[in-house]
Amino acid sequence: MAHLDSNLAPLIASAARHLRNARGVVTVGDLLRMRPTRYLSYDSEVTELRDGEFVVLIGTIKSAHTRSMSTRKGSMLTAVLTDGHQDVDMTFFNARAHENKLLPGVRVIAGGQVGTYNHRRQLAHPGYTLLDEAAEAALPGLYPVYPAIPKLHNWNLVQAVGLVLDALEPLPDPLPAPLRSRHRLPGLGETLRMLHRPETRAEVARARERLRYEEALVLQTVLAQRRVQRAQEEAALAIAEGGPLLTAFTDRLPFTLTAGQEQVAGEIAADLASTVPMNRLLQGEVGSGKTVLALRAMLSAVDGGAQAALLAPTEVLATQHHRSITAMLGDLAEGGLLGGSEIGTRVVLLTGSQGSASRRRALADVVSGDAGIVIGTHALLQEDVAFYNLGLVVVDEQHRFGVEQRDVLRGKASGTPHLLVMTATPIPRTIAMTVFGDMETSTLTELPAGRSPIQTFVVDEHRPGWLERTWARIGEECRAGRQAYVVCPRIGPGASGGESGGESGGDEEGEVDWFSDGFGQGEQAPARPEMIGVLETFEELSTEASLAGLRIGLLHGKLPTEEKDAVMRAFAAGELDVLVATTVIEVGVDVPNATVMVVRDADRFGVSQLHQLRGRVGRGGHPGLCLLATRAADGPAGERLTAVAATTDGFELAQLDLRQRREGDILGARQSGGRGRLQFLSLAHDEETIATARADAAELIAQDPDLSGHPELAGVIEEWLRREQADFLEKT
Ligand code: ADP
Ligand code: MG
């Protein structure tokens, strides 16, 4: 074996470089936590080998010969490997490096990709190791295959891992012994051995089970610590319910809260009344009445002498919030103005595209405290925005914001403000327990009365007449006095590629989000036709006979702000019949008279995004209709659309969405502030493990809040947090 060792020193150096470049694998720990995607046994029959397959074979070199090549320098070695019945050629273009080793009669284990040349099976430049009797006897039962790393042969990687394993000192185990024995999990050293050099599939399963649990425990311990820490922090303010502003607002509300809303309002009020800062996630379908509850909380804050900030993901949405909140408040929003209500306050809007004079006025109102309610986009996060006394932060449609952005805003308060995060995207339980695991959650399950059902159909654009029928349907609705949306995945031809390609920039950067990726794990996006844009659709509809005489508007992120605003206003006022738009309208837009939603190239959108879009219709007394037009009705994209069409249950769809995304996208930068580093735990499948670890972590932190009795676990967590921090710094 000594010769193998001596050759490996330079090999590991270069392996280390490729590992770092391709996967950020730097430490021994990183390497040993790389998850083999599959395992091979060595008993493949040569006759059963298929082209392209990666295989590992054990055999004897039957013959070997070197010949010079006509087309390139050097010589080529072909060694024939036999398993006793069948032969495979091993070919190398640098004969000299191998001809002294691959001599007839030696035993080798070789791994590589199967190919065919001149009707013979071959492995082109495979990895291999010479075997003596002892080495052959010591081979593990299964051979691991790691995720592909550019320029690094799996063979070399296996060897590098083996060297590291052999050099390893006994490992301290981050899992507390009582938990390990409670769940019958193997120790860390044994786990890593079973992961990388398993004898049986059962060992692989055991190793994975332990690492899954460990990841879940680390995550949950971090979250448990955060919850405890937060409970010890002082809130900026304990706010009692029932102040004059809230009371006046309640008196003039034109409807009564649903039972669900009452309950959540109670939960929020109880949080606000405590000095422990609220950290609550409010989830509820679009139109379930979250905003009213947020407004109540904001009014309470003002009653308590503090300010409230509402952070919205897009300018359209911030502006709409400003408009509707100002309208709901009436003269209560004219505090300090001549003729306004005495108990009222002022509501200001801060967006990126605001003129500098108006921005200066708004900033002055915010810093003086004259504005009790401040609504805005990312512009709220800028450094020059200073509050008089920020007591409550509300984040709308949270999936557009990362944790860091929430924290920037919270940092603008002198104490710790209360935090209410709202989302219309139903959050599966595993996500609630992880990504939002440090928050309390409230859920609105019923819609206010008077909402109508939405029907959804998939429109196969390749079928003759179907698209025409779609436009005709819009025509009928509009002539009956209703309105329609037509949504496209991008602005126009020539706009840069990607989902909603040309949309990024300024306040609208949230338009492309983590929901747009509908592809499954490791699946490659097939080549697809150019996406349809709003510009060409607008043209098309303007000359469409069945829409003759109807007023058609155009809305996308690249329009000047005033124009966007004017278009949205006109549509809301019923002065436009059809609105052709990008996903700027995805969240929060509320036009109850709109009844039809057509999504073009619907396969280009993620499940949750389609569900969000669909929520724009059926908000009034008329039934909603959603038509998902696609040119890819056959295949997986079509199945996804059919699934969306089949249910309006947001939780069911969220589960579907989760299954289709990579873990990295879920715990990815936008969500958790770190690149996905869950290797073994699956948020889509490991609900039970996560729930168990959550309970274990709570118990652990209750007994040992600073983990001083668990230094190994504390070390792993520290490393985890350090990386999260590093990722954050990298991004800013
Ligand atoms: P969400 O923010 O959850 O999408 P909103 O708070 O915007 O929902 O509510 C959608 C619409 O329903 C708004 O026009 C709102 O005024 C109205 N609404 C909210 N609560 C009720 C209720 N209890 N009864 C009737 N209408 C309601
Ligand atoms: Mg809303």
Side-chain angles (χ1 to χ4, degrees), residues 279-328:
N279 191 32
R280 185 168 289 278
L281 176 69
L282 169 53
Q283 49 176 338
E285 291 277 337
V286 280
S288 60
K290 299 182 294 297
T291 309
V292 173
L293 297 179
L295 181 54
R296 287 176 52 92
M298 292 194 279
L299 294 174
S300 274
V302 175
D303 275 334
Q307 290 167 293
L310 171 56
L311 185 61
T314 65
E315 198 159 328
V316 167
L317 196 51
T319 308
Q320 184 182 287
H321 271 313
H322 182 252
R323 199 159 46 227
S324 66
I325 284 177
T326 309
M328 275 197 262

Side-chain angles (χ1 to χ4, degrees), residues 196-416:
H196 299 290
R197 285 173 172 165
E199 290 302 332
T200 61
R201 306 243 164 224
E203 286 194 344
V204 174
R206 258 174 81 63
R208 287 180 173 173
E209 184 190 0
R210 133 104 207 200
L211 292 166
R212 232 181 354 253
Y213 174 80
E214 184 182 320
E215 284 184 348
L217 187 76
V218 165
L219 196 58
Q220 294 302 333
T221 305
V222 171
L223 296 169
Q225 272 184 313
R226 281 190 193 157
R227 283 196 304 270
V228 167
Q229 226 166 30
R230 192 161 289 126
Q232 288 162 351
E233 286 169 18
E234 285 285 287
L237 197 59
I239 298 162
E241 211 189 8
L245 196 50
L246 179 61
T247 306
F249 173 72
T250 308
D251 288 346
R252 66 178 62 185
L253 202 60
F255 48 76
T256 49
L257 297 183
T258 64
Q261 281 173 317
E262 285 289 0
Q263 186 191 327
V264 174
E267 289 166 356
I268 293 173
D271 283 357
L272 289 177
S274 158
T275 52
V276 175
M278 170 164 73
N279 191 32
R280 185 168 289 278
L281 176 69
L282 169 53
Q283 49 176 338
E285 291 277 337
V286 280
S288 60
K290 299 182 294 297
T291 309
V292 173
L293 297 179
L295 181 54
R296 287 176 52 92
M298 292 194 279
L299 294 174
S300 274
V302 175
D303 275 334
Q307 290 167 293
L310 171 56
L311 185 61
T314 65
E315 198 159 328
V316 167
L317 196 51
T319 308
Q320 184 182 287
H321 271 313
H322 182 252
R323 199 159 46 227
S324 66
I325 284 177
T326 309
M328 275 197 262
L329 290 178
D331 66 353
L332 295 177
E334 292 168 14
L337 299 179
L338 224 54
S341 153
E342 256 175 43
I343 51 164
T345 186
R346 213 175 289 171
V347 183
V348 303
L349 178 67
L350 267 176
T351 64
S353 57
Q354 201 164 21
S356 65
S358 125
R359 180 177 171 84
R360 226 175 306 117
R361 264 198 312 279
L363 287 178
D365 281 349
V366 177
V367 76
S368 69
D370 286 348
I373 296 178
V374 185
I375 299 169
T377 56
H378 294 82
L380 268 184
L381 304 175
Q382 274 158 28
E383 218 167 293
D384 62 344
V385 181
F387 287 84
Y388 173 70
N389 180 18
L390 180 60
L392 168 68
V393 172
V394 179
V395 180
D396 193 16
E397 304 299 349
Q398 65 73 34
H399 68 261
R400 305 303 193 97
F401 293 102
V403 172
E404 316 86 50
Q405 287 166 310
R406 259 160 40 188
D407 287 347
V408 168
L409 193 48
R410 292 214 288 178
K412 289 183 182 292
S414 43
T416 306

Side-chain angles (χ1 to χ4, degrees), residues 117-182:
Y117 187 75
N118 274 348
H119 307 292
R120 288 179 63 88
R121 286 281 185 239
Q122 73 162 23
L123 304 177
H125 36 88
Y128 66 91
T129 303
L130 303 186
L131 295 171
D132 57 20
E133 247 173 69
E136 188 159 350
L139 283 175
L142 293 168
Y143 178 89
V145 180
Y146 295 89
I149 291 175
K151 297 185 198 142
L152 186 58
H153 197 293
N154 190 69
W155 194 262
N156 297 333
L157 184 52
V158 170
Q159 283 184 319
V161 169
L163 276 177
V164 169
L165 275 179
D166 290 340
L168 223 51
E169 292 175 17
L171 294 170
D173 197 325
L175 281 190
L179 290 179
R180 224 165 56 213
S181 67
R182 181 186 303 170

